[in-house]
Amino acid sequence: MPDLRTAGLALAAESARYAGLGWMRGTSGNLSVTLTRDPLRLAVTASGLDKGELTAADVVEVDGSGAALPGQPLAPSAEAGLHARIAAVAGAGAVVHLHMLAPVVAAERWPDGIELSDLEMLKGFGRAAHDDLVRVPVVANSQDMQVLGDAFEAGYDPATPALVVARHGVYVWGADLRQARWRAECLEWLLRFKTATPEG
């Protein structure tokens, strides 16, 4: 697993990529990488910074509850607690929280979960292109990460590496940042298709 400096370099590069796609506008969104499992430690992008301009130093090491370890000059994202919960429950090596429009629109139309099937791009999301009904869970937004974490865990399906937070954004995870990115890109395409087709 990476050290904090290596994680910071990778998180800065990924943040710039997502900002360029319009998925981390301004200071919105946050990314994390798991540093250690026992005890659980994550590197999380710092709060309040332009995600297109992060450096390797703009990350914070947090514990298994999402709280910053002592002595660090920056504050972690307010959503670090949910990153930690996903890492613990799903075993994720990286979590990306993005503000794509398609997942938020899809959650408005299907607040009980977004169903996808028979689309080739599902393979890039880690599922089968045919004969595989994928349901992406949707949870109500909250500023309390314990509440969001409980909602995530209640609907968690190990086969579906994503969670949509209504009127907020999407969390996608993977073994590392690259896999999380691939899954996020494919999910964005899938949900754009879902919301653009008349039958949904």
Side-chain angles (χ1 to χ4, degrees):
M1 289 187 174
D3 58 26
L4 189 61
R5 167 92 183 158
T6 302
L9 286 168
L11 289 168
E14 289 298 289
S15 293
R17 177 191 292 266
Y18 290 129
L21 290 168
W23 295 350
M24 296 182 84
R25 297 175 186 271
T27 65
S28 70
N30 35 77
L31 313 179
S32 69
V33 169
T34 300
L35 299 173
T36 64
R37 291 275 171 209
D38 188 16
L40 183 61
R41 298 285 186 266
L42 282 73
V44 181
T45 50
S47 178
L49 301 178
D50 187 320
K51 297 309 189 296
E53 300 177 352
L54 296 185
T55 71
D58 294 327
V59 295
V60 183
E61 186 172 353
V62 302
D63 64 19
S65 70
L69 271 61
Q72 299 182 89
L74 298 173
S77 161
E79 286 131 341
L82 184 52
H83 282 256
R85 188 76 167 268
I86 293 170
V89 172
V95 180
V96 300
H97 171 45
L98 306 167
H99 286 241
M100 307 162 173
L101 184 58
V104 178
V105 173
E108 286 287 291
R109 292 178 62 180
W110 300 282
D112 295 324
I114 307 158
E115 293 186 347
L116 301 163
S117 63
D118 299 324
L119 291 161
E120 192 70 19
M121 194 66 81
L122 281 165
K123 292 194 293 188
F125 183 58
R127 299 293 293 266
H130 302 287
D131 301 320
D132 185 9
L133 179 63
V134 177
R135 185 178 176 278
V136 181
V138 175
V139 300
N141 194 18
S142 174
Q143 302 307 303
D144 186 327
M145 292 306 109
Q146 182 67 43
V147 170
L148 277 182
D150 290 348
F152 151 70
E153 194 163 352
Y156 171 62
D157 175 358
T160 303
L163 173 73
V164 179
V165 180
R167 299 202 167 196
H168 186 160
V170 66
Y171 289 79
V172 183
W173 52 90
D176 53 29
L177 282 170
R178 178 177 289 181
Q179 186 179 59
R181 182 211 311 154
W182 290 344
R183 289 174 169 177
E185 289 173 346
C186 292
L187 181 62
E188 193 270 346
W189 186 97
L190 290 160
L191 295 182
R192 272 201 292 138
F193 174 86
K194 177 80 170 175
T195 57
T197 51
E199 70 279 4

